[in-house]
Amino acid sequence: MEKKELREILKFYKSMYVGAMINIEDKTLFATWYEMLKEYSFEQVKNAIIKRTSQSSYPANIPEIISNIEVPDYTIEKIPPHTVIVCYEDESFGNFPFRFLNSKEAKEYSQKFQECNYDKESIKILHEEHVRKRNSSVLHTGEKRKQD
């Protein structure tokens, strides 16, 4: 999570727990929340606050929020300049490497990943399409050489 996103999380938290005595401008409070939540995404933290709110009307503390964060069954490894590997814990799925030609293509696929919510089957289909697309340019180039 980025610091600007944490500011939005704290505003959201304050709106969910109107009576909570939390000063969003307190630098120590901000630093503590950031240190504890920086490894999670904005959506994960927001969803955890919503989930916790449905369990109790008392304001959630940071450990309670963290305990309500849903951790995905995949990891994302970014390798500069334009490679992303989506890995699933389920060994039958394994790794899906995506090697992009440029940052524009990488951004387009990042959007597709988010739209499918990193669903295993959807990522597998996206990977197959990606590999076919990458290989088609190689095959066409080879076919042209044979014809020459």
Side-chain angles (χ1 to χ4, degrees):
M1 175 183 326
E2 296 178 24
K3 288 184 177 182
K4 65 181 180 179
E5 292 175 317
L6 178 59
R7 196 160 303 287
E8 291 302 312
I9 287 291
L10 290 172
K11 288 177 186 177
F12 179 75
Y13 179 89
K14 192 159 178 90
S15 71
M16 293 295 287
Y17 298 109
V18 178
M21 301 300 285
I22 184 170
N23 179 359
I24 296 172
E25 302 304 320
D26 182 334
K27 292 181 181 186
T28 304
L29 177 125
F30 188 88
T32 302
W33 278 67
Y34 183 71
E35 186 62 34
M36 297 300 293
L37 300 172
K38 67 183 177 185
E39 68 185 76
Y40 303 106
S41 73
F42 175 85
E43 292 81 16
Q44 285 176 307
V45 175
K46 184 176 179 181
N47 291 337
I49 292 170
I50 292 168
K51 185 176 177 183
R52 172 54 177 69
T53 302
S54 69
Q55 297 166 353
S56 173
S57 60
Y58 293 105
N61 58 36
I62 295 173
E64 289 170 332
I65 293 170
I66 291 172
S67 71
N68 281 286
I69 291 177
E70 294 181 11
V71 180
D73 61 348
Y74 61 86
T75 58
I76 302 167
E77 180 181 357
K78 295 179 182 178
I79 303 170
H82 307 298
T83 299
V84 174
I85 302 175
V86 181
C87 303
Y88 287 90
E89 291 178 12
D90 181 354
E91 291 183 17
S92 65
F93 278 87
N95 302 333
F96 295 100
F98 292 82
R99 291 179 181 85
F100 305 110
L101 299 175
N102 53 50
S103 60
K104 180 184 176 197
E105 186 183 18
K107 286 179 185 176
E108 288 171 5
Y109 268 86
S110 292
Q111 184 64 36
K112 290 179 182 181
F113 295 158
Q114 291 172 3
E115 287 170 2
C116 74
N117 209 20
Y118 292 91
D119 172 70
K120 290 178 188 179
E121 288 297 329
S122 299
I123 293 294
K124 185 177 181 180
I125 291 167
L126 283 173
H127 184 258
E128 289 169 358
E129 290 172 1
H130 176 72
V131 170
R132 270 196 304 277
K133 182 179 173 185
R134 293 287 309 264
N135 289 343
S136 70
S137 64
V138 173
L139 292 175
H140 291 301
T141 304
E143 288 173 5
K144 288 179 185 175
R145 287 184 186 157
K146 287 180 185 177
Q147 293 173 355
D148 291 339

